[in-house]
PDB file of all heavy atoms in Angstrom:
ATOM      1  N   ARG R   1      13.383   0.602   9.138  1.00 89.00           N
ATOM      2  CA  ARG R   1      12.750  -0.238   8.124  1.00 89.00           C
ATOM      3  C   ARG R   1      12.502   0.479   6.797  1.00 89.00           C
ATOM      4  O   ARG R   1      11.859  -0.075   5.910  1.00 89.00           O
ATOM      5  CB  ARG R   1      11.412  -0.767   8.645  1.00 89.00           C
ATOM      6  CG  ARG R   1      11.526  -1.918   9.623  1.00 89.00           C
ATOM      7  CD  ARG R   1      10.143  -2.482   9.874  1.00 89.00           C
ATOM      8  NE  ARG R   1      10.169  -3.723  10.619  1.00 89.00           N
ATOM      9  CZ  ARG R   1       9.098  -4.481  10.839  1.00 89.00           C
ATOM     10  NH1 ARG R   1       7.916  -4.105  10.375  1.00 89.00           N
ATOM     11  NH2 ARG R   1       9.200  -5.604  11.517  1.00 89.00           N
ATOM     12  N   TYR R   2      12.967   1.684   6.652  1.00 92.00           N
ATOM     13  CA  TYR R   2      12.662   2.450   5.442  1.00 92.00           C
ATOM     14  C   TYR R   2      13.147   1.717   4.191  1.00 92.00           C
ATOM     15  O   TYR R   2      14.263   1.198   4.140  1.00 92.00           O
ATOM     16  CB  TYR R   2      13.320   3.830   5.496  1.00 92.00           C
ATOM     17  CG  TYR R   2      13.132   4.611   4.219  1.00 92.00           C
ATOM     18  CD1 TYR R   2      11.910   5.195   3.928  1.00 92.00           C
ATOM     19  CD2 TYR R   2      14.169   4.728   3.295  1.00 92.00           C
ATOM     20  CE1 TYR R   2      11.712   5.899   2.741  1.00 92.00           C
ATOM     21  CE2 TYR R   2      13.992   5.427   2.112  1.00 92.00           C
ATOM     22  CZ  TYR R   2      12.758   6.009   1.839  1.00 92.00           C
ATOM     23  OH  TYR R   2      12.573   6.688   0.658  1.00 92.00           O
ATOM     24  N   ILE R   3      12.269   1.675   3.198  1.00 93.00           N
ATOM     25  CA  ILE R   3      12.601   1.085   1.893  1.00 93.00           C
ATOM     26  C   ILE R   3      12.287   2.124   0.826  1.00 93.00           C
ATOM     27  O   ILE R   3      11.150   2.595   0.734  1.00 93.00           O
ATOM     28  CB  ILE R   3      11.776  -0.190   1.626  1.00 93.00           C
ATOM     29  CG1 ILE R   3      12.021  -1.240   2.719  1.00 93.00           C
ATOM     30  CG2 ILE R   3      12.117  -0.765   0.257  1.00 93.00           C
ATOM     31  CD1 ILE R   3      11.137  -2.467   2.584  1.00 93.00           C
ATOM     32  N   PRO R   4      13.245   2.510   0.018  1.00 92.00           N
ATOM     33  CA  PRO R   4      12.985   3.521  -1.020  1.00 92.00           C
ATOM     34  C   PRO R   4      12.048   2.995  -2.092  1.00 92.00           C
ATOM     35  O   PRO R   4      12.009   1.786  -2.365  1.00 92.00           O
ATOM     36  CB  PRO R   4      14.377   3.815  -1.577  1.00 92.00           C
ATOM     37  CG  PRO R   4      15.193   2.624  -1.238  1.00 92.00           C
ATOM     38  CD  PRO R   4      14.647   2.074   0.035  1.00 92.00           C
ATOM     39  N   PRO R   5      11.270   3.885  -2.724  1.00 93.00           N
ATOM     40  CA  PRO R   5      10.360   3.442  -3.792  1.00 93.00           C
ATOM     41  C   PRO R   5      11.136   2.876  -4.965  1.00 93.00           C
ATOM     42  O   PRO R   5      12.232   3.333  -5.292  1.00 93.00           O
ATOM     43  CB  PRO R   5       9.632   4.737  -4.177  1.00 93.00           C
ATOM     44  CG  PRO R   5      10.549   5.837  -3.752  1.00 93.00           C
ATOM     45  CD  PRO R   5      11.231   5.341  -2.523  1.00 93.00           C
ATOM     46  N   GLY R   6      10.554   1.869  -5.602  1.00 94.00           N
ATOM     47  CA  GLY R   6      11.208   1.226  -6.740  1.00 94.00           C
ATOM     48  C   GLY R   6      12.055   0.030  -6.364  1.00 94.00           C
ATOM     49  O   GLY R   6      12.609  -0.639  -7.244  1.00 94.00           O
ATOM     50  N   THR R   7      12.141  -0.281  -5.068  1.00 94.00           N
ATOM     51  CA  THR R   7      12.946  -1.426  -4.618  1.00 94.00           C
ATOM     52  C   THR R   7      12.274  -2.737  -5.009  1.00 94.00           C
ATOM     53  O   THR R   7      11.062  -2.900  -4.866  1.00 94.00           O
ATOM     54  CB  THR R   7      13.132  -1.378  -3.093  1.00 94.00           C
ATOM     55  OG1 THR R   7      13.814  -0.178  -2.747  1.00 94.00           O
ATOM     56  CG2 THR R   7      13.939  -2.573  -2.602  1.00 94.00           C
ATOM     57  N   ILE R   8      13.074  -3.693  -5.486  1.00 94.00           N
ATOM     58  CA  ILE R   8      12.564  -5.029  -5.804  1.00 94.00           C
ATOM     59  C   ILE R   8      12.551  -5.871  -4.531  1.00 94.00           C
ATOM     60  O   ILE R   8      13.577  -6.007  -3.861  1.00 94.00           O
ATOM     61  CB  ILE R   8      13.416  -5.718  -6.878  1.00 94.00           C
ATOM     62  CG1 ILE R   8      13.375  -4.924  -8.185  1.00 94.00           C
ATOM     63  CG2 ILE R   8      12.936  -7.148  -7.122  1.00 94.00           C
ATOM     64  CD1 ILE R   8      14.297  -5.465  -9.261  1.00 94.00           C
ATOM     65  N   ILE R   9      11.395  -6.429  -4.209  1.00 95.00           N
ATOM     66  CA  ILE R   9      11.245  -7.280  -3.027  1.00 95.00           C
ATOM     67  C   ILE R   9      10.966  -8.708  -3.502  1.00 95.00           C
ATOM     68  O   ILE R   9      10.020  -8.950  -4.247  1.00 95.00           O
ATOM     69  CB  ILE R   9      10.109  -6.774  -2.124  1.00 95.00           C
ATOM     70  CG1 ILE R   9      10.467  -5.380  -1.585  1.00 95.00           C
ATOM     71  CG2 ILE R   9       9.847  -7.748  -0.975  1.00 95.00           C
ATOM     72  CD1 ILE R   9       9.353  -4.708  -0.819  1.00 95.00           C
ATOM     73  N   THR R  10      11.821  -9.627  -3.098  1.00 96.00           N
ATOM     74  CA  THR R  10      11.661 -11.032  -3.447  1.00 96.00           C
ATOM     75  C   THR R  10      11.038 -11.761  -2.263  1.00 96.00           C
ATOM     76  O   THR R  10      11.453 -11.562  -1.125  1.00 96.00           O
ATOM     77  CB  THR R  10      13.023 -11.662  -3.790  1.00 96.00           C
ATOM     78  OG1 THR R  10      13.672 -10.877  -4.802  1.00 96.00           O
ATOM     79  CG2 THR R  10      12.861 -13.087  -4.301  1.00 96.00           C
ATOM     80  N   TYR R  11      10.038 -12.609  -2.527  1.00 97.00           N
ATOM     81  CA  TYR R  11       9.354 -13.281  -1.421  1.00 97.00           C
ATOM     82  C   TYR R  11       8.874 -14.666  -1.840  1.00 97.00           C
ATOM     83  O   TYR R  11       8.697 -14.949  -3.024  1.00 97.00           O
ATOM     84  CB  TYR R  11       8.155 -12.442  -0.950  1.00 97.00           C
ATOM     85  CG  TYR R  11       7.037 -12.353  -1.960  1.00 97.00           C
ATOM     86  CD1 TYR R  11       5.939 -13.216  -1.920  1.00 97.00           C
ATOM     87  CD2 TYR R  11       7.075 -11.414  -2.990  1.00 97.00           C
ATOM     88  CE1 TYR R  11       4.922 -13.136  -2.845  1.00 97.00           C
ATOM     89  CE2 TYR R  11       6.069 -11.332  -3.930  1.00 97.00           C
ATOM     90  CZ  TYR R  11       4.989 -12.192  -3.861  1.00 97.00           C
ATOM     91  OH  TYR R  11       3.983 -12.131  -4.794  1.00 97.00           O
ATOM     92  N   ASN R  12       8.679 -15.518  -0.857  1.00 97.00           N
ATOM     93  CA  ASN R  12       8.020 -16.803  -1.070  1.00 97.00           C
ATOM     94  C   ASN R  12       7.407 -17.275   0.242  1.00 97.00           C
ATOM     95  O   ASN R  12       7.785 -16.819   1.328  1.00 97.00           O
ATOM     96  CB  ASN R  12       8.981 -17.850  -1.633  1.00 97.00           C
ATOM     97  CG  ASN R  12      10.021 -18.298  -0.633  1.00 97.00           C
ATOM     98  OD1 ASN R  12      10.850 -17.504  -0.182  1.00 97.00           O
ATOM     99  ND2 ASN R  12       9.998 -19.571  -0.272  1.00 97.00           N
ATOM    100  N   PHE R  13       6.446 -18.185   0.135  1.00 97.00           N
ATOM    101  CA  PHE R  13       5.693 -18.631   1.307  1.00 97.00           C
ATOM    102  C   PHE R  13       6.126 -20.028   1.751  1.00 97.00           C
ATOM    103  O   PHE R  13       6.575 -20.842   0.938  1.00 97.00           O
ATOM    104  CB  PHE R  13       4.193 -18.648   0.999  1.00 97.00           C
ATOM    105  CG  PHE R  13       3.629 -17.309   0.667  1.00 97.00           C
ATOM    106  CD1 PHE R  13       3.327 -16.972  -0.646  1.00 97.00           C
ATOM    107  CD2 PHE R  13       3.415 -16.363   1.664  1.00 97.00           C
ATOM    108  CE1 PHE R  13       2.809 -15.721  -0.964  1.00 97.00           C
ATOM    109  CE2 PHE R  13       2.894 -15.117   1.364  1.00 97.00           C
ATOM    110  CZ  PHE R  13       2.591 -14.795   0.045  1.00 97.00           C
ATOM    111  N   GLU R  14       5.949 -20.273   3.035  1.00 96.00           N
ATOM    112  CA  GLU R  14       6.215 -21.581   3.623  1.00 96.00           C
ATOM    113  C   GLU R  14       4.992 -21.971   4.462  1.00 96.00           C
ATOM    114  O   GLU R  14       4.565 -21.199   5.319  1.00 96.00           O
ATOM    115  CB  GLU R  14       7.461 -21.525   4.499  1.00 96.00           C
ATOM    116  CG  GLU R  14       7.895 -22.863   5.052  1.00 96.00           C
ATOM    117  CD  GLU R  14       9.164 -22.743   5.880  1.00 96.00           C
ATOM    118  OE1 GLU R  14      10.216 -22.417   5.297  1.00 96.00           O
ATOM    119  OE2 GLU R  14       9.088 -22.947   7.093  1.00 96.00           O
ATOM    120  N   VAL R  15       4.431 -23.154   4.193  1.00 95.00           N
ATOM    121  CA  VAL R  15       3.215 -23.601   4.873  1.00 95.00           C
ATOM    122  C   VAL R  15       3.442 -24.998   5.434  1.00 95.00           C
ATOM    123  O   VAL R  15       4.074 -25.844   4.797  1.00 95.00           O
ATOM    124  CB  VAL R  15       2.009 -23.630   3.906  1.00 95.00           C
ATOM    125  CG1 VAL R  15       0.724 -23.976   4.662  1.00 95.00           C
ATOM    126  CG2 VAL R  15       1.860 -22.308   3.172  1.00 95.00           C
ATOM    127  N   GLU R  16       2.916 -25.229   6.630  1.00 93.00           N
ATOM    128  CA  GLU R  16       3.054 -26.546   7.266  1.00 93.00           C
ATOM    129  C   GLU R  16       1.712 -26.958   7.865  1.00 93.00           C
ATOM    130  O   GLU R  16       0.983 -26.111   8.412  1.00 93.00           O
ATOM    131  CB  GLU R  16       4.119 -26.493   8.357  1.00 93.00           C
ATOM    132  CG  GLU R  16       4.451 -27.850   8.970  1.00 93.00           C
ATOM    133  CD  GLU R  16       5.618 -27.772   9.944  1.00 93.00           C
ATOM    134  OE1 GLU R  16       6.550 -26.982   9.697  1.00 93.00           O
ATOM    135  OE2 GLU R  16       5.573 -28.505  10.955  1.00 93.00           O
ATOM    136  N   ASP R  17       1.375 -28.242   7.748  1.00 91.00           N
ATOM    137  CA  ASP R  17       0.113 -28.711   8.319  1.00 91.00           C
ATOM    138  C   ASP R  17       0.353 -29.591   9.534  1.00 91.00           C
ATOM    139  O   ASP R  17       1.500 -29.820   9.958  1.00 91.00           O
ATOM    140  CB  ASP R  17      -0.742 -29.433   7.264  1.00 91.00           C
ATOM    141  CG  ASP R  17      -0.134 -30.761   6.800  1.00 91.00           C
ATOM    142  OD1 ASP R  17       0.787 -31.279   7.463  1.00 91.00           O
ATOM    143  OD2 ASP R  17      -0.590 -31.285   5.767  1.00 91.00           O
ATOM    144  N   SER R  18      -0.742 -30.103  10.121  1.00 89.00           N
ATOM    145  CA  SER R  18      -0.668 -30.850  11.381  1.00 89.00           C
ATOM    146  C   SER R  18       0.004 -32.207  11.234  1.00 89.00           C
ATOM    147  O   SER R  18       0.408 -32.815  12.235  1.00 89.00           O
ATOM    148  CB  SER R  18      -2.080 -31.044  11.949  1.00 89.00           C
ATOM    149  OG  SER R  18      -2.908 -31.703  10.993  1.00 89.00           O
ATOM    150  N   LYS R  19       0.156 -32.691   9.995  1.00 91.00           N
ATOM    151  CA  LYS R  19       0.812 -33.977   9.757  1.00 91.00           C
ATOM    152  C   LYS R  19       2.300 -33.804   9.433  1.00 91.00           C
ATOM    153  O   LYS R  19       2.993 -34.776   9.149  1.00 91.00           O
ATOM    154  CB  LYS R  19       0.122 -34.715   8.604  1.00 91.00           C
ATOM    155  CG  LYS R  19      -1.337 -35.050   8.848  1.00 91.00           C
ATOM    156  CD  LYS R  19      -1.501 -36.071   9.968  1.00 91.00           C
ATOM    157  CE  LYS R  19      -2.955 -36.483  10.110  1.00 91.00           C
ATOM    158  NZ  LYS R  19      -3.153 -37.462  11.215  1.00 91.00           N
ATOM    159  N   GLY R  20       2.783 -32.581   9.502  1.00 92.00           N
ATOM    160  CA  GLY R  20       4.197 -32.332   9.212  1.00 92.00           C
ATOM    161  C   GLY R  20       4.504 -32.117   7.752  1.00 92.00           C
ATOM    162  O   GLY R  20       5.676 -31.950   7.383  1.00 92.00           O
ATOM    163  N   ASN R  21       3.475 -32.103   6.889  1.00 94.00           N
ATOM    164  CA  ASN R  21       3.697 -31.810   5.480  1.00 94.00           C
ATOM    165  C   ASN R  21       4.077 -30.333   5.332  1.00 94.00           C
ATOM    166  O   ASN R  21       3.518 -29.468   6.008  1.00 94.00           O
ATOM    167  CB  ASN R  21       2.434 -32.103   4.665  1.00 94.00           C
ATOM    168  CG  ASN R  21       2.055 -33.568   4.708  1.00 94.00           C
ATOM    169  OD1 ASN R  21       2.849 -34.429   4.346  1.00 94.00           O
ATOM    170  ND2 ASN R  21       0.846 -33.860   5.171  1.00 94.00           N
ATOM    171  N   ARG R  22       4.999 -30.067   4.438  1.00 94.00           N
ATOM    172  CA  ARG R  22       5.490 -28.698   4.262  1.00 94.00           C
ATOM    173  C   ARG R  22       5.488 -28.335   2.778  1.00 94.00           C
ATOM    174  O   ARG R  22       5.872 -29.125   1.928  1.00 94.00           O
ATOM    175  CB  ARG R  22       6.909 -28.587   4.819  1.00 94.00           C
ATOM    176  CG  ARG R  22       7.489 -27.171   4.777  1.00 94.00           C
ATOM    177  CD  ARG R  22       8.913 -27.179   5.313  1.00 94.00           C
ATOM    178  NE  ARG R  22       8.938 -27.471   6.727  1.00 94.00           N
ATOM    179  CZ  ARG R  22       8.943 -26.551   7.683  1.00 94.00           C
ATOM    180  NH1 ARG R  22       8.917 -25.269   7.354  1.00 94.00           N
ATOM    181  NH2 ARG R  22       8.981 -26.895   8.947  1.00 94.00           N
ATOM    182  N   LEU R  23       5.018 -27.128   2.498  1.00 95.00           N
ATOM    183  CA  LEU R  23       5.030 -26.605   1.135  1.00 95.00           C
ATOM    184  C   LEU R  23       5.797 -25.297   1.121  1.00 95.00           C
ATOM    185  O   LEU R  23       5.531 -24.401   1.917  1.00 95.00           O
ATOM    186  CB  LEU R  23       3.606 -26.356   0.631  1.00 95.00           C
ATOM    187  CG  LEU R  23       3.483 -25.641  -0.722  1.00 95.00           C
ATOM    188  CD1 LEU R  23       3.994 -26.536  -1.849  1.00 95.00           C
ATOM    189  CD2 LEU R  23       2.051 -25.215  -0.993  1.00 95.00           C
ATOM    190  N   GLU R  24       6.791 -25.195   0.224  1.00 95.00           N
ATOM    191  CA  GLU R  24       7.544 -23.962   0.055  1.00 95.00           C
ATOM    192  C   GLU R  24       7.395 -23.514  -1.394  1.00 95.00           C
ATOM    193  O   GLU R  24       7.725 -24.261  -2.315  1.00 95.00           O
ATOM    194  CB  GLU R  24       9.020 -24.164   0.402  1.00 95.00           C
ATOM    195  CG  GLU R  24       9.803 -22.870   0.440  1.00 95.00           C
ATOM    196  CD  GLU R  24      11.175 -23.019   1.085  1.00 95.00           C
ATOM    197  OE1 GLU R  24      11.389 -24.025   1.780  1.00 95.00           O
ATOM    198  OE2 GLU R  24      12.011 -22.119   0.893  1.00 95.00           O
ATOM    199  N   THR R  25       6.869 -22.321  -1.619  1.00 95.00           N
ATOM    200  CA  THR R  25       6.580 -21.852  -2.969  1.00 95.00           C
ATOM    201  C   THR R  25       7.838 -21.302  -3.642  1.00 95.00           C
ATOM    202  O   THR R  25       8.843 -21.010  -2.989  1.00 95.00           O
ATOM    203  CB  THR R  25       5.507 -20.762  -2.947  1.00 95.00           C
ATOM    204  OG1 THR R  25       6.010 -19.605  -2.262  1.00 95.00           O
ATOM    205  CG2 THR R  25       4.253 -21.252  -2.245  1.00 95.00           C
ATOM    206  N   GLU R  26       7.737 -21.153  -4.952  1.00 95.00           N
ATOM    207  CA  GLU R  26       8.817 -20.538  -5.713  1.00 95.00           C
ATOM    208  C   GLU R  26       8.898 -19.052  -5.384  1.00 95.00           C
ATOM    209  O   GLU R  26       7.908 -18.433  -4.997  1.00 95.00           O
ATOM    210  CB  GLU R  26       8.578 -20.707  -7.216  1.00 95.00           C
ATOM    211  CG  GLU R  26       8.587 -22.145  -7.699  1.00 95.00           C
ATOM    212  CD  GLU R  26       9.959 -22.776  -7.624  1.00 95.00           C
ATOM    213  OE1 GLU R  26      10.957 -22.026  -7.759  1.00 95.00           O
ATOM    214  OE2 GLU R  26      10.041 -23.994  -7.415  1.00 95.00           O
ATOM    215  N   GLN R  27      10.078 -18.481  -5.533  1.00 95.00           N
ATOM    216  CA  GLN R  27      10.252 -17.064  -5.266  1.00 95.00           C
ATOM    217  C   GLN R  27       9.524 -16.216  -6.314  1.00 95.00           C
ATOM    218  O   GLN R  27       9.490 -16.563  -7.490  1.00 95.00           O
ATOM    219  CB  GLN R  27      11.734 -16.695  -5.254  1.00 95.00           C
ATOM    220  CG  GLN R  27      12.488 -17.211  -4.039  1.00 95.00           C
ATOM    221  CD  GLN R  27      13.907 -16.681  -3.980  1.00 95.00           C
ATOM    222  OE1 GLN R  27      14.467 -16.253  -4.983  1.00 95.00           O
ATOM    223  NE2 GLN R  27      14.492 -16.693  -2.799  1.00 95.00           N
TER     224      GLN R  27
END
């Protein structure tokens, strides 16, 4: 899993509720 310093990490979140609604955020 080693990641060198200075690496750009792109991420976004995904959330779901009990009614099946889903939210996906921008990167």
Side-chain angles (χ1 to χ4, degrees):
R1 283 189 170 187
Y2 175 75
I3 301 175
T7 299
I8 298 174
I9 296 173
T10 307
Y11 68 95
N12 70 297
F13 298 104
E14 185 178 294
V15 185
E16 187 174 325
D17 68 15
S18 57
K19 299 293 185 181
N21 297 303
R22 184 182 292 266
L23 173 68
E24 188 167 343
T25 65
E26 296 291 330
Q27 288 187 339

